[in-house]
């Protein structure tokens, strides 16, 4: 497990400083907007001309994420560097740490880029994950299956998102099929035992290297391994004693992990909530997260505000949920129907990411609706039929 060396409070930025963002998708776009409102300049590195962040930042460097010359260029233009996704070349970032501050550090990246390192880190802090083992070939896989049991999920240790790089194993035939699809020897992977959860949840935690604050626990529902809808808070406006116990555990583990990372910026923690209030960590994301988009309208400080404040070394205030909310993703197949319906739904807070190419199952935007009756909001969204497409 990598040692964590970012152990001091983040150096404070002054207004007018420049924040460099690796990645110009929707998360980079929303980071840049928050930074601009606070008086910071932004420069983004992204290989796509006209990427979502390009229209809201001060400068766009068009280059691949692993282009070391481009990373040096953005480092020289910036006072701090941050990133909007975890598949950034940590070695390339280390090469420029002598000329620019990277408040999140690269240890956080390396831990969250590798499922083995991530689960080891989480478990080492006394926090439960699914039962797991590292496997690199069919012999190890069969042995791990004999101990963990079926069903289980085989995931590549690095890479993969929204269900990519994963294979669900329900039967011994599924196990043997891995050899046909992946070969006798394959890249380092993790076999995870299935978790019999009641619902999926997540929590955001933000820090400035020394102090840490948390957002509400939210409930997440996925379709085809892609987040479909988030409800905040997870358990409605009248939580039970069990809900409050889950809330306490989730906030406690979020703060423990933030302290372990000496966190600067925002970290997302995906959770399984099981019977009896048992809470299991599924995955970490070292950045703002799709399930946190509701915070833009529903909280006094949103996840992007807290990320920028954290990497800027400013003081953090515990964010408050001003209203319960429901966030639903707009994928490529939903775009035309959603934007045609927008004029008839003034209660919808619509976010169009401005991506030039519309693709099936690609995240093109999201909608947030505020209100205490979150079940009613979800029913009304479903009644439009848009998300049946």
């Amino acid at each position: 497990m990598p040692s964590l060396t970012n152990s001091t409070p983040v150096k404070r930025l002054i207004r007018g400083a420049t924040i460099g963002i690796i990645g110009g998708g929707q998360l980079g776009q929303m980071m840049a907007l928050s930074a601009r409102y606070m008086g910071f300049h932004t420069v983004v590195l992204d290989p796509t001309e006209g990427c979502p962040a390009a229209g809201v930042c001060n400068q766009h460097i068009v280059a691949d994420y692993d282009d070391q010359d481009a990373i040096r260029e953005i480092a020289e233009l910036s006072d701090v560097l941050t990133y909007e996704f975890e598949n950034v070349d940590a070695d390339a970032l280390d090469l420029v740490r002598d000329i620019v501050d990277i408040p999140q550090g690269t240890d956080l990246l390396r831990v969250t880029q590798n499922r083995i390192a991530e689960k080891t880190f989480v478990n080492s802090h006394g926090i439960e994950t699914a039962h797991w083992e590292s496997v690199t070939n069919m012999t190890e896989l069969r042995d791990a299956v004999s101990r963990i049991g079926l069903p289980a999920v085989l995931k590549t240790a690095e890479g993969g998102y929204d269900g990519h790089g994963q294979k669900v194993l329900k039967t011994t035939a599924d196990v043997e099929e891995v050899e046909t699809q992946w070969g006798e020897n394959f890249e380092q992977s993790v076999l995870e035992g299935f978790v019999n959860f009641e619902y999926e949840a997540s929590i955001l935690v933000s820090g400035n290297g020394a102090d840490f604050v948390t957002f509400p626990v939210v409930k997440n529902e996925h379709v085809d391994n892609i987040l479909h809808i988030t409800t905040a808070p997870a358990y409605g406006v009248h939580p039970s004693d069990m809900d409050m116990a889950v809330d306490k555990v989730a906030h406690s583990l979020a703060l423990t992990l933030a302290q372990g990372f000496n966190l600067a910026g925002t970290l997302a923690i995906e959770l399984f909530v099981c019977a009896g209030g048992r809470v299991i960590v599924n995955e970490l994301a070292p950045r703002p997260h799709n399930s946190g988009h509701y915070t833009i309208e529903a909280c006094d400080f949103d996840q992007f505000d807290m990320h920028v404040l954290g990497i800027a070394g400013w003081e953090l205030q515990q964010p408050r949920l001003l209203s319960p909310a429901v966030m639903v993703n707009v994928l490529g197949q939903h775009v035309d129907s959603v934007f045609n319906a927008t004029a008839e739904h003034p209660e919808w807070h619509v976010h169009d990411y401005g991506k030039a190419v519309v693709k099936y199952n690609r995240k093109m935007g999201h909608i947030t609706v505020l209100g205490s009756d979150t079940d009613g909001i979800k029913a009304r969204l479903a009644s439009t039929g848009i998300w049946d497409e």
Side-chain angles (χ1 to χ4, degrees), residues 263-331:
L263 180 68
T266 293
L267 171 74
I269 306 168
E270 297 180 28
L271 306 168
F272 294 133
V273 179
C274 306
R278 180 173 163 226
V279 180
I280 294 175
V281 169
N282 180 28
E283 290 185 347
L284 308 179
R287 49 164 174 80
H289 191 259
N290 192 178
S291 68
H293 290 344
Y294 76 94
T295 62
I296 297 172
E297 282 84 25
C299 295
D300 56 348
F301 290 90
D302 68 43
Q303 62 169 342
F304 302 100
D305 297 333
M306 284 301 182
H307 183 79
V308 173
L309 291 169
I311 63 172
W314 289 16
E315 295 296 318
L316 304 181
Q317 176 167 303
Q318 175 64 42
R320 292 182 298 126
L321 182 69
L322 303 177
S323 170
V326 172
M327 187 283 302
V328 60
N329 271 325
V330 177
L331 305 182

Side-chain angles (χ1 to χ4, degrees), residues 31-51:
M31 280 185 202
L33 285 169
S34 284
R36 172 164 287 188
Y37 292 145
M38 295 178 200
F40 296 116
H41 300 293
T42 55
V43 54
V44 67
L45 188 155
D46 192 277
T48 304
E49 289 274 9
C51 64

Side-chain angles (χ1 to χ4, degrees), residues 86-102:
E86 50 268 45
N87 294 323
V88 178
D89 188 340
D91 291 337
L93 291 185
D94 278 336
L95 292 175
V96 298
R97 293 182 76 169
D98 59 330
I99 60 174
V100 67
D101 288 331
I102 306 177

Side-chain angles (χ1 to χ4, degrees), residues 162 223-224 226 331-334 359-364:
D162 288 346
V223 175
D224 295 332
I226 300 172
L331 305 182
Q333 59 268 34
H334 308 140
K359 294 181 181 179
Y360 184 85
N361 274 356
R362 188 185 194 192
K363 294 171 185 172
M364 304 300 297

Side-chain angles (χ1 to χ4, degrees), residues 223 228 328-331 334 337-338 348 366-367 380-389:
V223 175
H228 168 52
V328 60
N329 271 325
V330 177
L331 305 182
H334 308 140
S337 295
V338 164
W348 289 2
H366 72 267
I367 291 169
R380 288 191 292 276
L381 288 169
S383 71
T384 65
I386 290 171
W387 285 273
D388 296 333
E389 298 175 19

